[in-house]
Amino acid sequence: MNFDLEELKKNHNTSYLAGELERLAREEAEVREMLASDDTLHEMAVKELKFIQEEKERIEKQARDILDKEKDAESQHDVGTNEIVLEVRAGAGGDEASLFAWELAHMYEKFAESQGWQWKVNYESKSDLNGYKEASFEIKSKDKNNNVYKKMRYEQGVHRVQRIPATEKNGRVHTSTASVAVLPIRKKITFQINPADFDMEYSRSGGKGGQNVNKVETAVRIIHIPTGLDVRSTNERSQLANREKAMIILTAKLQQLEEEKEASKHAGIRKNQIGTGDRSEKIRTYNFPQDRVTDHRIKKSWHNLPKIMEGDIGGIITDIESGAVGDEEDE
């Protein structure tokens, strides 16, 4: 199947595949030139050409699959906000912060499970105590009417925990933080992507997925040079799949940056929005000694922390969506 490479380059989901097809075309030309100049290399050249052709067919199939999925999505109403990437990152507080980041991820996973959403790990970086230094997850819903981003968007920001760590000998309450980012995956983007702006690194995943994942360099890290943003994907079974996933996540981050820039121009008229959506904004405190969660944006608290940390956050999300305002208790 012949592809219009320029069209593939314009599509953020297939731009890297266009680059691979161009690379293979150059290699094919070099092999044919070598073959024309030296007949003794015929057998080796034939094998090399066969390998190149197989690679081209594999990449073309992947491009065709991506384009077919996009056509299916466009034939229905916009389902982009039914898929998000949720990231957690430990903040101030060392090991306690990383443990709290893991607990937040667990809380969201349980909530996703209660909603019938799919939950998938993209990348995990764990601390010595098995908490999360940082981690990235994909959440999606098959139900077109179940808007994942609408429910999760106000979870973005800095979450604070106050409790006595298990390693604390004097019974003092420690305060730690973890940040949450919520990135909607949209089918259409509002800016141009230049493939030359990306740098890619490959390594062994070292996680689940069988021998191929552990022995081959399937893990991918993509860096967007102009902004310094970087994304990792390690849990897919092939390098191409990890690269595709990392590119989708990085594009979502770049789209969010564009939207934040645009929103900042109109900050004065955003009075009805809860908070700014900024990842540096402290949005919520989990106070374990007082068994209380307080959302500082609507000044409202909820109790029964063990249940909440097991994913029972539907009431919190509903109150925040509706802007229900309560009386914030002293911290």
Side-chain angles (χ1 to χ4, degrees):
M1 179 177 180
N2 292 322
F3 287 97
D4 184 336
L5 287 180
E6 292 306 315
E7 289 300 316
L8 289 183
K9 287 178 183 178
K10 292 177 183 178
N11 186 324
H12 73 284
N13 287 327
T14 57
S15 59
Y16 69 92
L17 294 177
E20 289 295 293
L21 289 173
E22 286 183 328
R23 177 183 63 80
L24 289 170
R26 290 193 298 270
E27 290 182 3
E28 183 178 8
E30 291 172 0
V31 172
R32 293 191 182 281
E33 183 179 349
M34 178 182 67
L35 181 59
S37 62
D38 190 345
D39 289 340
T40 62
L41 300 175
H42 179 79
E43 184 176 347
M44 182 182 72
V46 168
K47 290 182 180 179
E48 186 67 20
L49 288 172
K50 182 181 178 183
F51 173 77
I52 291 172
Q53 184 60 35
E54 289 174 349
E55 282 290 290
K56 285 172 62 177
E57 290 175 358
R58 183 166 60 85
I59 292 173
E60 286 174 351
K61 181 181 183 303
Q62 187 174 10
R64 184 167 59 251
D65 289 344
I66 291 172
L67 296 176
D68 287 345
K69 287 180 183 178
E70 290 180 350
K71 285 181 181 179
D72 290 342
E74 289 173 3
S75 66
Q76 304 169 12
H77 61 282
D78 181 21
V79 297
T81 52
N82 280 343
E83 181 178 356
I84 68 169
V85 170
L86 185 142
E87 297 180 335
V88 297
R89 187 184 300 267
D95 286 335
E96 179 67 9
S98 69
L99 290 173
F100 180 50
W102 182 91
E103 288 174 290
L104 286 176
H106 175 78
M107 179 181 75
Y108 291 129
E109 182 179 7
K110 288 296 184 181
F111 177 67
E113 183 180 302
S114 73
Q115 300 296 302
W117 297 342
Q118 295 178 344
W119 172 279
K120 185 176 182 180
V121 177
N122 292 324
Y123 169 72
E124 297 173 311
S125 174
K126 293 190 174 182
S127 67
D128 292 339
L129 296 182
N130 221 28
Y132 280 144
K133 295 178 181 177
E134 58 180 306
S136 170
F137 310 92
E138 177 186 357
I139 309 174
K140 64 170 66 176
S141 172
K142 293 181 178 180
D143 182 356
K144 305 300 185 297
N145 297 316
N146 197 340
N147 194 312
V148 177
Y149 179 62
K150 183 179 178 182
K151 287 189 176 181
M152 297 298 295
R153 56 185 168 170
Y154 293 126
E155 294 304 300
Q156 175 160 293
V158 173
H159 296 241
R160 182 175 68 169
V161 63
Q162 294 177 322
R163 63 184 172 190
I164 302 171
T167 55
E168 171 58 51
K169 297 179 180 179
N170 298 319
R172 292 178 301 175
V173 174
H174 287 225
T175 298
S176 305
T177 62
S179 62
V180 174
V182 179
L183 307 167
I185 303 299
R186 297 190 174 98
K187 301 303 176 184
K188 296 180 181 179
I189 58 176
T190 59
F191 60 96
Q192 294 293 322
I193 289 182
N194 183 357
D197 288 342
F198 297 105
D199 187 21
M200 298 194 186
E201 298 176 357
Y202 306 103
S203 60
R204 296 182 183 181
S205 291
K208 297 179 181 179
Q211 292 183 349
N212 181 60
V213 167
N214 295 327
K215 294 184 178 180
V216 182
E217 292 189 334
T218 56
V220 175
R221 179 188 181 208
I222 302 181
I223 303 100
H224 185 245
I225 300 168
T227 62
L229 287 173
D230 74 285
V231 166
R232 294 172 174 84
S233 181
T234 63
N235 277 30
E236 301 294 338
R237 295 185 65 85
S238 70
Q239 187 184 96
L240 279 174
N242 274 320
R243 189 160 51 180
E244 178 186 353
K245 180 60 61 65
M247 185 61 76
I248 289 172
I249 298 171
L250 187 52
T251 300
K253 288 192 173 191
L254 293 172
Q255 178 72 52
Q256 186 179 61
L257 281 181
E258 289 294 312
E259 291 174 358
E260 287 175 357
K261 288 178 185 177
E262 187 64 25
S264 67
K265 297 177 184 177
H266 310 287
I269 62 174
R270 300 172 69 218
K271 296 178 182 178
N272 293 328
Q273 182 170 343
I274 300 172
T276 65
D278 193 310
R279 275 165 281 184
S280 64
E281 178 187 13
K282 183 188 75 174
I283 63 168
R284 194 176 297 155
T285 294
Y286 302 70
N287 188 314
F288 278 77
Q290 298 179 19
D291 188 33
R292 185 182 74 232
V293 173
T294 300
D295 195 284
H296 306 294
R297 296 163 297 182
I298 63 172
K299 296 180 171 60
K300 186 168 182 177
S301 295
W302 301 264
H303 296 273
N304 199 342
L305 258 172
K307 194 174 180 181
I308 288 171
M309 300 310 291
E310 283 298 316
D312 187 18
I313 59 174
I316 297 175
I317 287 174
T318 298
D319 285 349
I320 293 172
E321 278 187 313
S322 64
V325 177
D327 295 321
E328 185 171 4
E329 301 175 50
D330 293 335
E331 291 300 317

